[in-house]
Amino acid sequence: SQTIHQWPATLVQPVGSPLSLECTVEGTSNPNLYWYRQAAGRGLQLLFYSVGIGQISSEVPQNLSASRPQDRQFILSSKKLLLSDSGFYLCAWSGAAGAQPQHFGDGTRLSIL
Amino acid sequence: GENVEQHPSTLSVQEGDSAVIKCTYSDSASNYFPWYKQELGKRPQLIIDIRSNVGEKKDQRIAVTLNKTAKHFSLHITETQPEDSAVYFCAASTGTGGFKTIFGAGTRLFVKA
């Protein structure tokens, strides 16, 4: 069966520090991968999605970036965090063929001080 | 682009009553409609989905209906229990690999014991 791992679960960072969140998927090949941000009590904001290695599409301009160095690895990064980057970050995967659900990781709660 | 509107934003029901959450979508090409449940601090989890060739689908106390002509779909929860309390998200997808999945803003359901 397929599983998705996301870490760390919680992160507290100072303003201006760098960020790296990692997500890996097991049990499937060539998944579509996604990064979402969820502000407290709000909906899901799609940040990036990827349909293959090295292929990244950005949905919202910001100081974040994403990379997919391997088929089942998706990384969210920032060189300098802003206060507004605080939130709950969710990685998700879906199959690449046809209409398929997205399956979410456990999320990373990021607090910027 | 695609837009998904979800109502109500908050819903409070008495234990044992039914709860109905409604969503409308704008892209007539949408053909896949998943529903997610997100408990506080947890990841969204798929609870039921429906495809455009089906008008209704039921899984125990949960059912989803789809009206393609009117472009709306609904989630019905019968015999609600306190553990049904969560945020529910609807979504609509045009079916190509899942990355064109648009989420509604969410409905916070409170089930009072």
Side-chain angles (χ1 to χ4, degrees):
Chain A
S1 65
Q2 302 90 355
T3 56
I4 179 169
H5 303 281
Q6 186 179 344
W7 67 93
T10 309
L11 190 60
V12 180
Q13 293 283 97
V15 169
S17 64
L19 173 73
S20 181
L21 302 181
E22 189 163 343
C23 172
T24 59
V25 180
E26 296 177 358
T28 187
S29 297
N30 194 33
N32 289 339
L33 297 172
Y34 314 82
W35 278 112
Y36 288 89
R37 177 169 58 203
Q38 187 174 34
R42 305 296 293 274
L44 299 164
Q45 180 188 32
L46 179 63
L47 301 175
F48 300 95
Y49 67 87
S50 171
V51 300
I53 296 174
Q55 301 179 61
I56 309 294
S57 295
S58 174
E59 291 294 300
V60 181
Q62 63 235 315
N63 68 321
L64 300 172
S65 62
S67 62
R68 184 171 177 173
Q70 300 181 47
D71 181 45
R72 289 169 288 180
Q73 183 185 27
F74 205 24
I75 298 171
L76 182 69
S77 303
S78 175
K79 293 182 180 178
K80 281 188 176 182
L81 286 167
L82 307 172
L83 281 174
S84 58
D85 291 324
S86 293
F88 190 45
Y89 287 81
L90 289 155
C91 180
W93 76 270
S94 72
Q100 305 212 18
Q102 294 183 16
H103 305 277
F104 291 86
D106 287 331
T108 295
R109 189 159 304 281
L110 175 64
S111 299
I112 310 299
L113 303 178
Chain B
E2 170 73 287
N3 184 48
V4 176
E5 294 192 0
Q6 183 171 347
H7 299 281
S9 57
T10 306
L11 179 60
S12 184
V13 300
Q14 203 67 37
E15 181 178 4
D17 288 350
S18 295
V20 180
I21 301 170
K22 299 180 179 181
C23 290
T24 60
Y25 61 98
S26 59
D27 190 346
S28 56
S30 295
N31 59 4
Y32 176 65
F33 307 91
W35 285 87
Y36 293 83
K37 174 184 179 182
Q38 186 178 27
E39 297 178 358
L40 190 62
K42 302 287 184 65
R43 61 189 167 111
Q45 291 192 291
L46 180 73
I47 55 172
I48 195 168
D49 56 9
I50 191 168
R51 299 182 188 273
S52 59
N53 59 346
V54 175
E56 183 174 357
K57 184 177 179 181
K58 189 173 182 180
D59 182 4
Q60 298 182 352
R61 296 186 297 107
I62 294 173
V64 57
T65 59
L66 171 65
N67 183 328
K68 284 188 62 180
T69 302
K71 288 191 280 189
H72 66 69
F73 55 114
S74 301
L75 178 72
H76 304 252
I77 306 174
T78 59
E79 301 172 27
T80 54
Q81 302 167 2
E83 51 265 39
D84 293 329
S85 296
V87 178
Y88 291 81
F89 292 98
C90 65
S93 172
T94 57
T96 308
F99 63 83
K100 290 187 179 178
T101 297
I102 307 299
F103 287 85
T107 295
R108 187 172 297 278
L109 174 64
F110 296 95
V111 180
K112 296 176 286 186

